[in-house]
Amino acid sequence: MKSPKQIALCTPRRIPFAQIGKSLSKYSAHHLGKIVAEDIISKTKLPLNKIDGVVVGEGFANAPNSARVIANLIGLPNEIPCLTVANNCVSGMEAVVESARRILLGEGELFLAIGEESQTSMPFVVKNARINKKTASLDKLKKALAESNLPEGVEVRDTLEDGLGDGETSYGMQVTAEIVSQNYALSRAVNDKVAFESFKRALEATEAGLYDPYLIPIADDEGNMMKADEAVLLRKGLVENPDRMGRAMLMFDNPQMKFTEFQAKYAKDLKKTHAPTVSIFNASPRSDGAAGVIVTTVEKAKELGLEISAVLTGWKMKGVHPNEMGLGQAAATLGLLQDMNMKIQDVDRVEIHEAFAATAVGALEEIKNQTGWDWEKSFDEKKINTYGGSISIGHPFGATGIRLVANAVMDIKNDPSVNKVLLTACAHGGIAGALMVERYKG
């Protein structure tokens, strides 16, 4: 929808994103979210009694209602409503939108929107244990596990792997990326180019200190202060040796699976096929992290002395077939532009989620097919993902949507010619979101 009034976005902040099982492994998702919330409140000197609610986006919750846990931990008034939304990889974006909706409905004037994820904390679970007498209680289950004697039908599952594919209607996200790449005849060269630029741009921005105003230094598992995104620094050698991109292992043509097996297994979803393209280097890494932003009215921001980083003027959530998940970014983007009576050419910058290079490029190709937009030219001019994207920075599911907001604010703050930034993200299951973020000119 096109927002009937300007919604202010104030003080986007985030924790540097870490690799799964590495620097931030000791933190649960809601503790990462708590750190972000505390930082925003401290930085803005925001009185706690001026916060009308907390909305948290989290792909896979560690707590029954992480928003309420965070509110309680930081001492917010007991009476304020708190909501955790789960919309896979657009959960953080949904938290921002839900905050805006509540403002427009008159349910409050200022909300904390937090996006968070600890993929490290996602548990292994035992499925179907309660329906078998031998494993129906915790003690019996422990005994069976200790004796490696699980009954038939009882199985240990990884919630992270299960979360990347629902097991009912859609494939794992890496499979959907290769399907999009095949169906849109994307080459490995173009996917690798987009991924390499993500690494290069993120590293350059990090080394130039451009991310510093948005990052919250945090003690890592060894007690050292983490001040930059872990994956960005780890890939410095790749930026210095770009030939490594082409040598990266392909996800669907390796000792575990030959590409002919992939073609046969997913034949009904493949409209055309060519060489495989999705590799471990043109995919986003598994990550831990959190991000946040104040969502309020322009009037309330001025009353409280908050700096208005940008304004949210429109949003759209839209779905596509689950097995072409990445294309949702095109559907949401085109839907938002139609709602706002705009063309893609009216936008100064685009921040698109790189779950995989293939999902981003496939969506950009679909927008090009429908509008004639020369996305390749815009990309080469650094008008798309100017400071890198999810492939280089990392992708903690629930945090990415608000990380995109922060990047949009970077676009506006660092270039006076930028007035409109469109951000879009896809999510497992085929749901996607698009936001229009604009320079505040009040």
Side-chain angles (χ1 to χ4, degrees):
M1 64 173 286
K2 180 178 181 179
S3 178
K5 65 191 299 185
Q6 290 185 324
I7 300 293
L9 301 173
C10 305
T11 318
R13 297 279 284 170
R14 67 178 179 88
I15 287 169
F17 292 173
Q19 299 282 73
I20 186 173
K22 292 192 175 180
S23 293
L24 299 180
S25 62
K26 69 179 181 181
Y27 297 95
S28 64
H30 59 267
H31 276 98
L32 293 173
K34 166 184 171 286
I35 292 167
V36 171
E38 287 176 328
D39 173 85
I40 291 173
I41 291 167
S42 174
K43 191 173 182 63
T44 59
K45 297 180 172 56
L46 180 63
L48 299 187
N49 63 1
K50 298 298 182 182
I51 298 172
D52 295 316
V54 179
V55 185
V56 167
E58 187 176 18
F60 304 92
N62 297 126
N65 182 356
S66 294
R68 186 60 172 174
V69 174
I70 290 170
N72 290 339
L73 287 172
I74 65 177
L76 294 186
N78 287 325
E79 62 268 22
I80 70 168
C82 302
L83 173 70
T84 302
V85 295
N87 197 354
N88 293 328
C89 303
V90 292
S91 297
M93 190 175 284
E94 191 73 76
V96 173
V97 170
E98 179 59 26
S99 299
R101 291 189 189 110
R102 291 185 173 218
I103 290 170
L104 294 177
L105 288 170
E107 296 183 18
E109 295 179 285
L110 187 147
F111 290 81
L112 278 182
I114 306 291
E116 61 185 37
E117 206 76 50
S118 172
Q119 293 186 14
T120 301
S121 299
M122 292 176 66
F124 296 97
V125 299
V126 181
K127 189 175 180 180
N128 297 328
R130 296 185 194 278
I131 62 176
N132 191 294
K133 290 182 179 180
K134 294 180 181 179
T135 54
S137 71
L138 183 59
D139 287 341
K140 290 179 179 179
L141 175 60
K142 285 180 177 179
K143 184 174 184 295
L145 287 170
E147 295 173 354
S148 300
N149 187 31
L150 287 178
E152 184 178 352
V154 178
E155 56 179 327
V156 178
R157 303 289 301 181
D158 182 352
T159 58
L160 175 54
E161 293 297 335
D162 285 350
L164 296 174
D166 63 25
E168 297 286 345
T169 63
S170 60
Y171 306 135
M173 286 191 282
Q174 68 275 19
V175 174
T176 72
E178 190 68 77
I179 287 172
V180 167
S181 195
Q182 295 296 312
N183 289 346
Y184 279 76
L186 307 182
S187 67
R188 181 172 182 180
V190 73
N191 287 342
D192 280 356
K193 174 185 175 180
V194 167
F196 178 77
E197 280 297 312
S198 185
F199 292 126
K200 184 172 183 288
R201 294 176 189 183
L203 180 63
E204 289 174 347
T206 298
E207 293 183 334
L210 298 181
Y211 275 107
D212 291 353
Y214 308 92
L215 293 178
I216 305 165
I218 183 173
D220 65 18
D221 286 0
E222 296 180 354
N224 301 313
M225 292 307 292
M226 183 179 177
K227 298 181 180 180
D229 297 306
E230 188 170 39
V232 172
L233 300 181
L234 287 174
R235 295 301 186 204
K236 184 174 182 177
L238 180 62
V239 173
E240 295 170 342
N241 298 279
D243 290 346
R244 291 173 56 192
M245 288 294 303
R247 298 198 297 269
M249 185 184 77
L250 290 163
M251 289 192 179
F252 300 108
D253 194 17
N254 56 62
Q256 284 71 48
M257 175 181 279
K258 298 299 181 186
F259 190 58
T260 51
E261 297 175 76
F262 176 90
Q263 291 171 305
K265 186 172 183 178
Y266 302 106
K268 70 180 181 64
D269 298 283
L270 296 170
K271 300 169 187 173
K272 59 182 77 171
T273 60
H274 57 92
T277 68
V278 178
S279 78
I280 59 172
F281 281 174
N282 60 38
S284 61
R286 297 179 177 184
S287 314
D288 301 335
V293 66
I294 295 171
V295 184
T296 185
T297 64
V298 168
E299 295 75 19
K300 180 59 71 171
K302 289 181 176 179
E303 175 191 321
L304 296 173
L306 300 174
E307 179 186 351
I308 299 174
S309 303
V311 288
L312 175 65
T313 57
W315 57 83
K316 188 78 170 184
M317 296 288 173
K318 201 164 184 178
V320 296
H321 193 284
N323 293 334
E324 293 184 319
M325 175 264 308
L327 301 182
Q329 297 172 115
T333 292
L334 294 168
L336 175 59
L337 292 170
Q338 182 177 11
D339 287 352
M340 299 188 71
N341 195 27
M342 291 174 60
K343 297 178 180 179
I344 188 68
Q345 290 83 359
D346 298 328
V347 176
D348 301 306
R349 292 284 189 276
V350 171
E351 294 289 340
I352 185 169
H353 169 42
E354 303 162 346
F356 302 82
T359 54
V361 174
L364 294 170
E365 280 288 301
E366 182 59 28
I367 296 171
K368 177 182 179 179
N369 292 344
Q370 295 197 38
T371 68
W373 178 47
D374 188 350
W375 74 263
E376 298 99 326
K377 181 174 183 291
S378 291
F379 184 82
D380 290 341
E381 292 173 349
K382 296 188 177 180
K383 293 180 179 179
I384 301 173
N385 290 3
T386 305
Y387 305 108
S390 301
I391 287 174
S392 53
I393 297 167
H395 175 37
F397 300 138
T400 289
I402 299 180
R403 193 275 299 166
L404 288 167
V405 170
N407 274 63
V409 170
M410 286 176 67
D411 291 329
I412 291 169
K413 295 286 187 183
N414 296 344
D415 188 339
S417 70
V418 174
N419 292 299
K420 294 181 174 64
V421 184
L422 183 142
L423 34 151
T424 185
C426 54
H428 175 254
I431 295 296
L435 307 183
M436 189 67 69
V437 173
E438 301 188 32
R439 181 183 297 276
Y440 175 61
K441 298 179 179 180

